[in-house]
Amino acid sequence: MNILPWDLTVIPQRFFQFADAALYTLQITFFGILLGLIIGLVAALGRLSKRQWISALSKAYIFLIRGTPLLVQLFIIYYGLTSIVTIDPIPSAIIALGIHNGAYIAEIFRGSIQSIDYGQMEAARSLGMTQGKAMQRIVLPQAFKRAVPPLGNQLIIALKDSSLASTIAVPELMLKGRQMGSSSFMYMEMFLIVGIWYLIMTSLLSFVMHRIEQRLKVSDHD
């Protein structure tokens, strides 16, 4: 006898009907975080620049993006820019995720770069390297290793934040859950399926990032 008001047997029956939506979720997360890495690195280097105007622009970007919700940024890109340019839902979601995560990744990179002993930069410069070459060959490889744990956390946050893309009709997990719930009147069951998909994906990402961290630690000892 089922003492719960929900039909949980629906979960295994409908689970794989969400596979396409999960792929969309992974797609916008992957490209969003890739764009965020590029923006974040540029913003971090700009933040550390000795040129005041470049540093000020980077600070302003980080301040504005971290101080406003992702949903607002998503609506500005998708709805607010229609008088200038029309951007489809999926590119809008990727751009919004990239810009939003870029601000947080910039601070991760900045902290990692600043954690490297400045003596290494001075030693590289004394050997005839330019500051750019020293940054590229000496500082950044070490900084990237130190940035891996917080970047892993940010990737998981980005995956969960991608659910906001449902508000602009991107056919990802949350939108699929709402559609399936409204057609079957089984909202709890459908959203439980969505939650299980997210749990599986975040667990796999955590495992992969943990393995990467372990490999980097081993290479440090070689």
Side-chain angles (χ1 to χ4, degrees), residues 16-34:
F16 289 103
Q17 293 179 18
F18 287 72
D20 289 344
L23 288 175
Y24 275 108
T25 293
L26 290 173
Q27 177 185 345
I28 61 176
T29 301
F30 174 79
F31 288 108
I33 207 73
L34 183 63

Side-chain angles (χ1 to χ4, degrees), residues 28 71 104 148 164 168 189 196:
I28 61 176
L71 186 59
Y104 291 89
V148 166
L164 294 174
I168 58 169
E189 293 88 338
I196 293 169

Side-chain angles (χ1 to χ4, degrees), residues 143-157:
F144 278 129
K145 287 185 178 182
R146 297 188 182 186
V148 166
L151 284 177
N153 291 334
Q154 193 61 41
L155 176 57
I156 291 170
I157 291 170

Side-chain angles (χ1 to χ4, degrees), residues 50-191:
K50 294 179 181 179
R51 296 183 179 181
Q52 291 298 318
W53 67 273
I54 295 178
S55 180
L57 282 176
S58 296
K59 287 178 183 177
Y61 157 70
I62 293 168
F63 173 77
L64 288 171
I65 298 303
R66 293 183 67 177
T68 54
L70 172 57
L71 186 59
V72 173
Q73 297 159 16
L74 182 61
F75 280 4
I76 287 173
I77 291 169
Y78 184 65
Y79 295 112
L81 296 179
T82 51
S83 59
I84 303 172
V85 61
T86 300
I87 307 175
D88 290 336
I90 291 177
S92 294
I94 291 171
I95 292 168
L97 278 173
I99 292 173
H100 183 80
N101 284 281
Y104 291 89
I105 291 172
E107 290 297 271
I108 292 171
F109 281 149
R110 181 178 68 86
S112 299
I113 291 169
Q114 289 182 323
S115 72
I116 305 301
D117 187 357
Y118 189 71
Q120 296 192 40
M121 173 65 80
E122 292 180 330
R125 294 297 301 277
S126 69
L127 293 173
M129 285 189 186
T130 63
Q131 185 169 353
K133 283 290 185 183
M135 179 67 72
Q136 178 184 344
R137 296 183 179 181
I138 306 297
V139 177
L140 286 181
Q142 297 179 74
F144 278 129
K145 287 185 178 182
R146 297 188 182 186
V148 166
L151 284 177
N153 291 334
Q154 193 61 41
L155 176 57
I156 291 170
I157 291 170
L159 174 63
K160 293 185 289 186
D161 282 349
S162 68
S163 61
L164 294 174
S166 64
T167 60
I168 58 169
V170 174
E172 48 71 69
L173 280 170
M174 276 300 295
L175 183 61
K176 182 74 171 182
R178 282 161 45 196
Q179 291 173 339
M180 296 282 282
S182 64
S183 63
S184 65
F185 298 101
M186 295 180 174
Y187 284 99
M188 176 59 79
E189 293 88 338
M190 296 305 110
F191 286 125

Side-chain angles (χ1 to χ4, degrees), residues 167-216:
T167 60
I168 58 169
V170 174
E172 48 71 69
L173 280 170
M174 276 300 295
L175 183 61
K176 182 74 171 182
R178 282 161 45 196
Q179 291 173 339
M180 296 282 282
S182 64
S183 63
S184 65
F185 298 101
M186 295 180 174
Y187 284 99
M188 176 59 79
E189 293 88 338
M190 296 305 110
F191 286 125
L192 282 174
I193 293 173
V194 171
I196 293 169
W197 271 105
Y198 275 112
L199 187 61
I200 290 171
M201 291 189 293
T202 55
S203 297
L204 287 173
L205 283 175
S206 296
F207 174 77
V208 170
M209 295 307 297
H210 178 71
R211 294 291 295 175
I212 292 173
E213 287 179 48
Q214 294 302 313
R215 289 293 297 271
L216 290 176

